[in-house]
């Protein structure tokens, strides 16, 4: 650990946000994905889906299961997911490689159908709720909000359009992971390397 409980010193000598811990996959995700601007219909749909599956669980669980999620959900291709049948849902419920939660599985399929039926550009919708950059970085993880007015507004917008598992906390996690906000803490090597 570094001098701050909100940072952890990795085996490579780099200080990271403490949530990255010592797990190599978590550290890779922190270093290469978290806070990097996310674009593309498929990419945004995948992240919305995985953030929904994460609700109530640790993100490392989702990262470890992400290859299986991509396989079973047709690499999050909207048309392929929207076409999934009840028989496929039953197969998913038997696959221990993913999170076997009927409500979350059904939500992903329903969200894909909504996006196609409504003609939603998920990339455009997501980024239309991006907040202005903060004047300063947070120093402690305890200072980082769980929800913001922007995540609440994004959640309300998506819910009004029929999307599920898109609550304000889940949408703020999406904003963090998708680079709409940059919550790397003061002293984290990513905060020092960011523009």
């Amino acid at each position: 650990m570094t001098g701050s409980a909100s940072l952890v010193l990795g085996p490579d000598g780099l200080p990271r946000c403490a949530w990255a811990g010592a797990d190599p996959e978590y550290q890779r995700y922190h270093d290469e994905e978290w806070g990097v601007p996310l674009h593309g219909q498929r990419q945004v749909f995948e992240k919305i889906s995985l953030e929904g599956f994460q609700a109530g669980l640790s993100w490392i669980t989702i990262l470890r299961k992400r290859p299986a999620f991509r396989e079973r959900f047709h690499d999050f291709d909207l048309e392929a997911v929207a076409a999934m049948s009840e028989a496929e849902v039953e197969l998913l419920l038997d696959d221990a490689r993913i999170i076997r939660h009927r409500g979350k599985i059904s939500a992903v399929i329903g969200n894909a159908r909504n996006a196609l039926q409504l003609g939603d550009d998920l990339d455009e919708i997501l980024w239309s709720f991006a907040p202005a950059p903060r004047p300063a970085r947070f120093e402690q993880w305890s200072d980082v909000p769980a929800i913001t007015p922007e995540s609440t507004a994004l959640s309300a917008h998506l819910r009004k359009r029929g999307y599920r598992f898109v609550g304000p906390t889940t949408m703020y996690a999406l904003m963090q992971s998708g680079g709409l906000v940059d919550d790397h803490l003061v002293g984290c090597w990513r905060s020092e390397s960011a523009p």
Side-chain angles (χ1 to χ4, degrees), residues 148-160:
T148 62
E150 294 86 1
S151 73
T152 301
L154 173 59
S155 171
H157 177 83
L158 291 174
R159 285 177 170 175
K160 184 176 179 182

Side-chain angles (χ1 to χ4, degrees), residues 20-43:
D23 185 282
E25 177 58 15
Y26 234 178
Q27 289 180 356
R28 185 210 58 76
Y29 177 74
H30 170 275
D31 293 356
E32 298 174 12
E33 292 186 58
W34 195 73
V36 174
L38 176 72
H39 288 288
Q41 180 87 325
R42 188 205 62 77
Q43 293 85 345

Side-chain angles (χ1 to χ4, degrees), residues 148-191:
T148 62
E150 294 86 1
S151 73
T152 301
L154 173 59
S155 171
H157 177 83
L158 291 174
R159 285 177 170 175
K160 184 176 179 182
R161 296 181 71 76
Y163 291 83
R164 297 182 341 191
F165 284 93
V166 291
T169 302
T170 300
M171 291 301 93
Y172 190 67
L174 172 65
M175 289 178 160
Q176 290 175 307
S177 66
L180 282 77
V181 295
D182 183 352
D183 281 345
H184 288 285
L185 301 175
V186 170
C188 170
W189 81 267
R190 281 289 313 280
S191 71

